[in-house]
Amino acid sequence: MEYRFKGHLVEELYKDYRIKEGMKACMNCGVCTAVCPAAEFYKYNPKNIVNIVARKNEQDLEDLLKSDTIWYCGECMSCVTRCPRANAPGLVIMALRKLSMRSGLYMQSEKGRQQYVVVKDLCSNILNYGYCVYPRTFDYETHKEFGPVGKWINDNLDDLHARMGSNLDGDGPGGLRKIPKESLDQLKNIFDVTGATELMEQVLGDAHEEAVKENLSDEEYFMKVYTENDWEKHLNH
Amino acid sequence: MLPFVLGMAFVLTYCVVGLLRVIAQLPKDDRKQFWRSLVTPKTAWANIRDLFGDCLFHVKIWKRNPVLGYMHSAIAFGWFMIIVIGHIMLFTLKPLQNVEVQGFEGMFTNFYYPIFYKFFATETPVFAFLMDFFLLMIISGILIAVVKKIYSKIVGVKRVTKFGLADNMIRFALWTIFPLRLLAEKTNIMGFWWAYSIDLCIFMCMLPFTRYMHIPTEALFILLRHAGLNAREPRKGYALAQIYSCPSCGLCIDACPMSVNDKNSGNTSAYFMKKLRNADDAEAKRIAETCLMCGKCVMVCPVSIESCDIKFSQRAAVPYNINSDHSYLDVISTETQRSGEILSNNNKVLYFAGCMTQLTPKIMRSMKQIMESAGENYDFMDKDGGICCGRPMLLSGKTAEAQAMIAKNTELIKKSGAKKLVLSCPICYKVFKDEYHLEGIEIQHHTQYIDELIKKGKLKVNKGEVNYVYHDPCELGRAFGVYDEPREVIENVGNLKKAKSEKELSICCGGSLGSFNLTQQERDEITENSVNDLMFNNPEQIVTACPLCLKTFVRKSPVAVKDIAEVVVENI
Amino acid sequence: MDFGFCLSPSSHVKMDTVDLTTFNRLKETNPDINTCIACGSCTATCTAGNFTEMSFRRILLMLQRGKEDEAKKMIQRCMLCGKCTLVCPRGINIRKILLDITR
Amino acid sequence: MIIEGKQKIWADYQKDIPDDHYFYVRSCIRQAFWPGSEVTFLDITRNKLGKDFYENPYHTTCGGIAYHSDTIPQETAMTIIARQFALMKESGYENYVCSCITSFGCYTETLETWHEYPELEAKIRQYLWDSCKKEFAKPKYLAHASDLIYKFRFEIAKQMKFPLVNVKTGKPLKVVEHIGCHYSKMFPSKGFGGAEYPHVLVGMIEAWGGEVVDYPERRQCCGFGFRQYFVQANRGYSESNTHKKFESMEPYEPDLIITNCPGCPYFLDRWQYVIAEQTGKTYGKNGYGIPALTYEEVAGLVMGYDPWDLGLQMHQVAIEPLLEKMGIPYDPKKKYQGLNGKDLGQPMCPSCIKSV
Amino acid sequence: MKENILIIGGGAAGMEAATQLQKMGLTPIIVEKSEALGGHIAQWDRLFPAFHPAKDVVDQMLEQVKGVKTYLNTEVADIQRDNDGFHAILSNNEKIDAKAVVLATGFDVFKAERKQEYGYGIYNNVMTSVELEKFFRTGKDARINNPKKIGFVHCVGARDVKVCNTYCSKVCCTTALKQACEIKEVFPDAEVYTFYMDLRMFGPGYEDLYLKTQKDFDVKCVRGRVCEVSEDMDGRLVIKAEDTLFGKPLKMTLDVLVLMCSMEKNKSIDAIQQKLGVANNSDGFMQIKNMYLGMNDTAQDGVFVAGACTAPKSLPDTIGEARSVATQVFNYINR
């Protein structure tokens, strides 16, 4: 897939405040990698990412944005604490991910394509309910780790939240209350004004296009991306 | 007479068994080739020539060192003549003197009669003179040997082989045979005759277990060698014949560049052969892997033992736990053709710089300039790094692995459509010449190529004032006898001074890929020695024709070291 | 129950349990092996490295970090051309070590 | 372990926050998974301690989870935050407290970034005006809800009924503290005790009679990893991180894990179940797990709240062994009941880890 | 002509400057706040690169400085300047008039507890390089109990924005390797690791020391900064770092961890320094006039500096500077 972004990737990346904040000079000491949970369980090394970004080479950056690599980070920000040069590899990753999505390059990696799942779930939750996480959208079948208790909670959602004192879908204050329409409208406006809507629509559009190409329905494509896992390839032996 | 007969019987049996064993161990094809060579007139003549020339007259030692040559041929030829004359006397005088014995006993007496001739009969004066003459000749040889043993430098030998007890004993036995015979003949005292006979017995019984086994084996070895065989296993067949043919004379010790450090003179071929003979596998392996493979020991060997080949087979005999995997080479050509800009058909000359030349880019640059000045239609095969020629792999005894590279390079070269392949590295040159099958493509080392360009008038050079000395790279000089072309090239561009040791006697630079074990310090010692040898006539620059020699000499040379191509470029 | 995922192995080099048998064996015959300063000259000049990941510096590290299998796999790429030995600033006899690893 | 060394650091990292009059914002995850915790927090602060914690019904998510899942741009997240600040201003508050650690990290990051790049603040101000016609004021004080429980820990201790002590042995319970990564890892000075030896939970444990367990992987992330959990294919990462922590804490035989991030107790709880299902291993005694509770739940327990009012039945790891150790009375029948004793049935029993 | 020169600090720089000034016919006066001359170097056991006993050097310097008027346990409490020169009041209320002042106040060792993730002062078996040196001198340290695995962490408090020290402390690399060899001499069976980022072997014989460390002492140098230390059940230390040359995170358990603490400017002189009008540079050390030709000069005439008060320095550097400051002072007095 050719990518939609026509500008200069390096230049664009360096406009991001998270690069300004998180990208000073690296001395390759490796503390970020040593503490990084993703470096332990994925083929991932934050130090290398910082080095590629610091190199400001268009081709290297493009390769990076196309790769699975930038999607391994869990954004725990442990790296930020210890860097002796006050870099923030975690923030650098966030800027890279944004550019990868904007440019469309994220569609070229397995882990990048997963953004469809995350965008679809989280953005619709925010816009529909005003929350990132909303319990009525929980599906036990795709979240077996909820465990028997989680399934029981799902099955008795209204009763349990009433029991616990939540104001589930109610008016006024309280946990899980219904967010008033004007607030939801404001969130939608914020999305429109700040570029979130555009980004979301791009991701949903890319996914739809890909689904059509693969002869899948959007739902089938969603499940494919949600479960597809070339496990060995991502490990860091 | 009994001791002699026993000894003789033993040694003959041993030799026959040994002969059969060697022949049995030969691979089937080799054996066939051997039989055929015996009846082929050309090889048969060579056999006869060398049997006399080498075994009796030791022509090669004569060439190397006349004193030693005399010593060896005096003993060998003298003894041979005594035996021959003894037999002539037997057949000419026996009937006259009525000492005929019939039947089985007769055969037996014919056998020992000549050896103890004087004990049984008297000679005619002519024969007596001849016998005494050769006996004295032998004794003169032995005298030299004794002197050499006591003080080797008198006869021009710095280092001699150090022997064990058995070798020393048999040597003493050999030395005493002829004085005893002389004494016995002149005094005719029974005791001396017995001593003579027992001495002969001792000599012959010990023979198979000592270096003197080379006396009978060498004859077989000459035959095998002329059959054109190669050693394929370090301890069997042809190699076995060579092992037993090594007289441990020690000529290779002084020749070996490693001997510059006394500690390393134990790593020379004489000892290698000895370790093989004594089945000391660990040491044989170590020495084989320490050797620089410069081939000088082969060059000086009076018996022409191909010790480098045996070392090769020794290296190949070491088992590897990891097999090489060069499958990535396949991808290279088909996908990227990284190893060169593959040529269109009208290009005639393909230049392969090789790995080592990649480390000396000025050679590459010079070659480019030379080819351009000569208006050659050329191209580089490995401008951005190529595939190794395979020689180092071969040197490590990994023949099959080397073939992977050879095949890939062959494919690339053939695809190029070039008519000529020029190499600036003798290491590559050696393997391209020996192992590659590039029919229709002329393979030249750049010394030959430049020489040809100058001779054809394509390349115009000026004669400068600089005094050069030329170092012969082992894999160009000794391996292929390319001695004259580089010298002619240099004489075209400057003055050529002589080194102390030249051509086939040139001393390895010390950098050879042949050795695995030598430390940098040990290599440096060799290099220093080699540089000193080159500096004999105070040249202003050292010229070589091998990137590895160049890199090696630069470390230790007091004057500039250059590749022949650079020197030529400086004088275009 | 199939959850659709499972535990991933840790990539940490666990120095407490790393097996150094091969490295120590090599060290006995090649004491120079300790003196590598990881300058990368061997890797930069490597003929096989031009086409593959081959890097002697990394092979040494692999052996010290318990990745002997990886090291042996990488060695398969080597063409034994010896350039690495020539360029090593510490004079390590690399070709010898490479051969020693293979047997 | 030299405790004086830690005490010195704790003394150095004390942040100045008021103890009253807060604009309270909820956590998406906490209200969804641990609804009893926020209820308990407000009950303790408002009713037991008599403080003013105001909740504005118009506040929404801060967008932090979406931001850290890289689904919305930084500007979007900042504008949502600016809107929350505007609501605070409109409600007449200056002190801002959030229930979520991801939110706390986002608020801190936003304020620090604005401080560094005022032009970005101006841009966000414009975005907020364009989208919501609102104007915001930055809070005077920013706190996480656990900061306040930390601050009130001694007052809570005064009302304590069940200290963190094993009633059978009389020995303090061994408690593992787990700090949410975004609490102080990005800005160490913003957390009580800093980034390396945070005191926020340790202070509670000590004040309530427990013994703190410091184990090698203490500082490690629970493994949430945002997109690493939301996509099923990535969950092995999340599970592996929790697994690493439990392997490291196991030899210390902790009785309880206390957390200040809403997500961590969920993962530390549920991954124990998954690990048990997949490997057969459990980390508590007798086939039980180690309960991973929120600080509100622990505060509620020590103050004598009914475990089922706190919502401890919503944990997969059985809580009963802990209640028994602490001597807290409970009615097993009520565990799975709704309002007014409504029978809600019972969860299935997992095949490995004990649930009752 | 006898002129008083006030030298603040009786370490290597102060002692050597005094010795030279006295030879030049001037009257140096040393004011030393501690109870003995010698400074940090007197606490050291052996010196890199050749393992020379520090005591030898200190004793020689003490011998040479014998005739110099010295105040021990004394600080400069106040100092004024007028046209006659400097007038100092010492903490013992004595007054000293001097024509010139030499600041030779040296350095403080970085407080290792500031680098919290290394757990100095929290985990029992974490110690500093200074404490290890003391162990070499006295043979006593409760933390060192026949250790099997020992680690050294370079750049503790140096090259680190997080502790506000961005400079390299110069001598720690060489010291670490020296100490690694020494600990290996004491415990030959122990495994010794150093965690470095760059090994800055800048002086004569230092690279040889590095080679020796690798070859003869089998010290394992790992390139990577230790990122965190924690304690396990047995009180051993679990450290994490990235083996950056290998590109993988690395974890190991150690019995003792030694922190190579950097040099920071000795801040006890700050008040006097301010009175003299000598500023600090961005690293917090005293500002010199010129890095190449004015390394002993400050912005103030008559106020000179020598040794580690202007930057981290090795002993030979310091002695060289002490000698050069003497020349500068001499020229100043005879201007």
Side-chain angles (χ1 to χ4, degrees), chain A residues 16-18 20-21 24 34-42 71-78 80-82 91 93-95 97-98 101 110-115 117-119 121-123 126 130-135 138 140-153 156 159-166 172-180 182-187 189-191 193-196 199-200 225-229 231, chain D residues 26 28-29 31-33 35-36 38-39 55-76 79-80 83 109 113 116-117 119-120 123 126-128 130-132 134 181-182 184-186 188 195-196 217 219-221 224-235 237 240-241 244 266 270-271 273-274 306 308-316 334-339 342 344-350:
Chain A
D16 198 305
Y17 280 94
R18 290 168 293 199
K20 288 178 192 168
E21 187 57 30
K24 284 119 191 172
V35 77
C36 178
E40 182 166 359
F41 299 114
Y42 280 134
W71 301 102
Y72 292 140
C73 166
E75 296 189 15
C76 70
M77 301 292 164
S78 302
V80 179
T81 321
R82 302 231 171 80
L91 289 179
I93 278 288
M94 294 176 79
R97 287 177 176 181
K98 185 188 165 195
M101 287 164 71
E110 176 193 314
K111 297 285 181 197
R113 287 189 291 272
Q114 293 172 344
Q115 274 311 89
V117 168
V118 196
V119 166
D121 281 354
L122 294 175
C123 290
I126 292 176
Y131 303 124
C132 284
V133 174
Y134 181 66
F138 293 167
Y140 174 75
E141 286 309 312
T142 55
H143 294 80
K144 293 267 174 61
E145 69 282 357
F146 281 176
V149 169
K151 187 173 187 309
W152 173 74
I153 294 170
N156 300 286
D159 281 324
L160 264 172
H161 276 286
R163 163 82 180 82
M164 297 327 309
S166 298
L176 293 172
R177 73 206 178 281
K178 187 173 170 44
I179 302 289
E182 62 169 291
S183 295
L184 289 180
D185 290 344
Q186 286 175 355
L187 285 179
N189 290 344
I190 292 175
F191 263 53
V193 168
T194 56
L199 188 67
M200 181 176 80
V225 173
Y226 184 71
T227 54
E228 188 177 43
N229 191 0
W231 193 64
Chain D
R26 290 185 180 269
C28 304
I29 292 183
Q31 66 180 2
F33 290 110
E38 289 191 345
V39 171
E55 182 191 357
N56 184 314
Y58 294 96
H59 87 272
T60 63
T61 177
C62 69
I65 292 174
Y67 173 56
H68 281 294
S69 304
D70 308 282
T71 62
I72 57 172
Q74 189 180 32
E75 293 82 358
T76 313
T79 314
I80 298 176
R83 182 182 169 276
E109 185 194 330
T113 312
E116 195 116 336
Y117 306 99
E119 78 276 12
L120 184 59
K123 191 168 147 194
Q126 188 61 44
Y127 280 148
L128 183 64
D130 293 347
S131 56
C132 309
K134 281 180 189 295
C181 291
H182 292 192
S184 60
K185 279 185 178 172
M186 286 186 278
E196 301 297 340
E217 300 288 359
R219 298 144 164 143
Q220 277 294 311
C221 173
F224 176 21
F226 303 97
R227 73 189 316 280
Q228 313 302 349
Y229 174 73
F230 288 129
V231 182
Q232 190 187 72
N234 300 345
R235 282 179 198 151
Y237 162 93
S240 301
N241 273 290
K244 175 173 64 174
Y266 181 76
R270 294 303 202 270
W271 292 137
Y273 154 73
V274 177
D306 184 276
W308 312 139
D309 289 349
L310 292 170
L312 299 186
Q313 64 274 44
M314 297 177 87
H315 291 264
Q316 178 67 52
K334 288 189 176 162
K335 185 174 183 183
Y336 299 118
Q337 286 179 354
L339 275 180
K342 183 182 175 189
L344 302 181
Q346 275 197 16
M348 306 264 288
C349 273

Side-chain angles (χ1 to χ4, degrees), chain B residues 330-341:
Chain B
D330 295 341
V331 189
I332 295 162
S333 61
T334 51
E335 190 189 293
T336 59
Q337 299 186 336
R338 276 185 72 172
S339 50
E341 292 163 13

Side-chain angles (χ1 to χ4, degrees), chain B residues 116-136:
Chain B
F116 303 93
Y117 198 86
K118 274 230 174 131
F119 183 73
F120 298 104
T122 49
E123 308 133 312
T124 59
V126 177
F127 281 123
F129 169 75
L130 281 175
M131 287 297 266
D132 286 352
F133 172 79
F134 285 114
L135 194 56
L136 285 172

